[in-house]
Amino acid sequence: MTTPVYKRVLLKLSGEALMGEDQFNRASIEHMVEDVVDAAKLGVEMAIVIGGGNIFRGVAPGAKGMDRATADYMGMLATVINSLALADAMEQAGLTARV
């Protein structure tokens, strides 16, 4: 068995990486989870930070004229949506996940 270089890692996943033909692509999440499962099998502990740019970006043209705080809140909700989707896929793969 391969010995990991690091025992604990922080993994940052962009929301844009979840995009396929639309704003959300389950296959992309499942592919990411496969990699996480492989690392977990080596004994690596992970904290995962995921973005929400696939759903909403506060600086996007669609937010033009919007109150900046409101746009930021919408971006935070998009991050929570992606976090829940990732946690669900991780749980289905047999991992423990918390949002």
Side-chain angles (χ1 to χ4, degrees), residues 40-95:
K41 285 179 182 175
L42 294 174
V44 176
E45 297 174 4
M46 276 191 210
I48 301 175
V49 177
I50 191 164
N54 58 316
I55 298 171
F56 186 80
R57 182 165 297 287
V59 295
K64 187 173 180 163
M66 185 180 289
D67 177 68
R68 179 59 194 245
T70 300
D72 288 345
Y73 298 151
M74 291 173 72
M76 287 182 246
L77 287 172
T79 297
V80 171
I81 290 168
N82 283 340
S83 299
L84 291 169
L86 181 65
D88 178 74
M90 290 174 67
E91 293 280 347
Q92 289 185 27
L95 298 174

Side-chain angles (χ1 to χ4, degrees), residues 8-51:
R8 292 181 172 163
V9 297
L10 173 65
L11 176 63
K12 168 56 170 99
L13 302 172
S14 72
E16 289 87 349
L18 301 179
M19 292 179 71
E21 296 288 320
D22 52 18
Q23 291 180 333
F24 184 81
N25 186 326
R26 179 69 181 197
S28 295
I29 287 181
E30 290 172 353
H31 180 70
M32 290 177 186
V33 169
E34 288 173 10
D35 292 338
V36 172
V37 167
D38 290 343
K41 285 179 182 175
L42 294 174
V44 176
E45 297 174 4
M46 276 191 210
I48 301 175
V49 177
I50 191 164

